Amino acid sequence: MKKTLLAVAASSALVSVAHAQSSVTLYGLLDAGLAYNNNVGKGHEFEAISGAINSDRFGMRGAEDLGGGLKAIFVLESGFNIQNGKSGQDSRLFGRQAFVGLASNDYGSVTLGRQYDSVVDYVGPLAATGSWGGTWFAHPFDNDNLNNSFRLNNSVKYTSPLFAGLRAGAVYSFSNDTNFATNRAYSFGASYNYGPLKAGAAYMQLNGTQSGTSAATAGALDQAESGAVGQDKTLFGATGFQLGASTQRVFGGGATYAFGPAIIGFVYTQSQFFDAINSRASTYKFNNYEVNAKYNLTPALSLAANYTYTDGSMTNPGTAATDPKWSQINLQTDYALSKRTDIYLEGLYQHAIGAGNNAYISGAGGTSSTANQIVVVSGIRTRF
């Protein structure tokens, strides 16, 4: 009897140790609401919306302790529309993220799969769209990808350990083609945290082809699934700005500073599209200037705002009389019902400058028929 009890105890101890050394976590986020858009192609629109702040998702993340400060890690994350149940990211099963790799306490991590680029990792958290503001606070057309309009397929990513507040990383995405330099991407960046100060900077380049320009495949680069980018139908949304290019470059940086219940920030990014396939330009450039601020009135209630000025320029303008520019201001209030659930109200206004240039608040239903667009959205968000 004693031997049996000892055997059971030993088995239980081994099982406990095994569970302690490895873990798998199921997680998700649900964000649904209602929105009013004052102008979508000459008319106003009321709609039920999905993911106004954060795109709906569910996923699994896991880790296995391999000993000596080394562990195996993985993430599988799927996006979807909560209003109709359809899969996001062009109906990919794990379109948001899908990677596996090794992580070391001393040397950082190396992961392989479908992942975020360095601009998203190091500059995104400093902008409103990559932190508290979310999806519709993106810079016009999400031209700098701070809101994850596309991910990088076939990618190898290195992330360093945190050293005296400094972290750095790089990503390389393979074309998976005999033409090694076509339809590939690479990026690198770094961040620095020191008390209330957070700063970051990053660079990304995508080398593509000019072949993918139809309504079904348009985007910054060739859309072949085997290629590096493999983003959704278009880079800027089905009803927004479409631009094919042989090369896309994005770089930028920013900083935030927290004092008491308030946090303020500034972000600058530049996006360049070379050999663009567009009747109005052969090279297109966006300069985005953003200031943002958030104030916690109470632990549950916050007020936030950001302003973005986007200065666009073109070479070989063709029929365009002036270079396009956009000015956008966004307001948000959020109330936490619990640690997991909150309700929010947002107001967004965009004004477009330039001959024939229309307003288009990213993701908010469609292009305005005029230079102005106003959107009001309210919703509920919960996490698990």
Side-chain angles (χ1 to χ4, degrees):
M1 183 66 178
K2 289 182 179 181
K3 289 183 179 181
T4 302
L5 292 174
L6 286 173
V8 171
S11 299
S12 299
L14 288 173
V15 170
S16 298
V17 170
H19 280 294
Q21 292 179 339
S22 62
S23 64
V24 175
T25 301
L26 178 66
Y27 65 92
L29 185 149
L30 307 176
D31 182 345
L34 301 173
Y36 167 78
N37 191 326
N38 79 314
N39 191 315
V40 181
K42 299 183 179 181
H44 61 266
E45 180 180 67
F46 292 93
E47 62 175 333
I49 50 95
S50 173
I53 297 183
N54 297 119
S55 298
D56 296 294
R57 70 199 68 172
F58 69 89
M60 296 177 288
R61 65 170 66 94
E64 180 187 8
D65 189 351
L66 303 177
L70 185 68
K71 60 183 177 181
I73 58 174
F74 76 86
V75 169
L76 297 172
E77 187 174 282
S78 177
F80 63 96
N81 186 316
I82 196 170
Q83 298 292 354
N84 56 30
K86 291 184 178 180
S87 295
Q89 293 76 52
D90 207 17
S91 299
R92 291 177 172 86
L93 178 60
F94 297 112
R96 289 186 57 85
Q97 298 183 85
F99 64 82
V100 62
L102 296 173
S104 166
N105 295 334
D106 297 326
Y107 302 107
S109 65
V110 176
T111 50
L112 299 91
R114 180 173 168 87
Q115 304 177 79
Y116 297 147
D117 63 78
S118 299
V119 176
V120 171
D121 287 340
Y122 297 104
V123 182
L126 307 172
T129 188
S131 54
W132 48 263
T135 306
W136 291 6
F137 283 28
H139 300 160
F141 320 115
D142 196 23
N143 64 83
D144 46 19
N145 199 44
L146 293 185
N147 192 48
N148 299 327
S149 286
F150 62 84
R151 280 81 171 170
L152 299 182
N153 292 334
N154 313 319
S155 62
V156 179
K157 175 185 284 192
Y158 170 74
T159 304
S160 76
L162 189 65
F163 178 75
L166 181 67
R167 189 187 303 275
V171 184
Y172 187 90
S173 297
F174 291 85
S175 65
N176 281 9
D177 191 85
T178 54
N179 189 341
F180 186 80
T182 299
N183 200 16
R184 66 172 178 172
Y186 54 88
S187 64
F188 53 86
S191 63
Y192 179 71
N193 295 347
Y194 182 77
L197 174 67
K198 295 182 179 179
Y203 173 85
M204 172 175 61
Q205 178 162 322
L206 302 94
N207 295 337
T209 72
Q210 297 178 317
S211 61
T213 59
S214 70
T217 59
L221 300 177
D222 185 270
Q223 300 299 296
E225 177 61 25
S226 62
V229 181
Q231 64 251 33
D232 296 344
K233 296 295 185 183
T234 68
L235 179 59
F236 302 123
T239 57
F241 182 75
Q242 298 181 14
L243 182 66
S246 64
T247 302
Q248 178 183 351
R249 294 174 183 163
V250 179
F251 66 87
T256 63
Y257 191 85
F259 49 96
I263 183 170
I264 58 173
F266 172 79
V267 168
Y268 166 76
T269 62
Q270 184 183 103
S271 304
Q272 302 176 63
F273 299 82
F274 297 94
D275 299 321
I277 306 171
N278 186 294
S279 60
R280 298 177 61 182
S282 63
T283 300
Y284 218 133
K285 181 189 296 183
F286 298 92
N287 287 290
N288 304 285
Y289 306 87
E290 177 190 330
V291 290
N292 57 68
K294 184 178 181 181
Y295 185 81
N296 293 312
L297 292 171
T298 71
L301 179 64
S302 66
L303 300 175
N306 88 302
Y307 171 77
T308 298
Y309 178 74
T310 298
D311 184 3
S313 61
M314 301 178 291
T315 60
N316 302 326
T319 59
T322 59
D323 291 335
K325 307 179 191 304
W326 295 267
S327 181
Q328 182 169 331
I329 185 168
N330 307 309
L331 304 173
Q332 180 193 87
T333 182
D334 184 274
Y335 183 76
L337 302 173
S338 69
K339 291 183 178 180
R340 291 171 42 194
T341 304
D342 60 309
I343 54 176
Y344 58 85
L345 176 66
E346 295 182 338
L348 307 92
Y349 168 75
Q350 185 184 104
H351 175 65
I353 305 166
N357 190 36
N358 296 349
Y360 174 76
I361 294 176
S362 296
T367 306
S368 172
S369 63
T370 71
N372 301 298
Q373 191 171 55
I374 298 173
V375 172
V376 178
V377 57
S378 62
I380 183 170
R381 177 175 52 170
T382 190
R383 308 160 183 83
F384 61 89

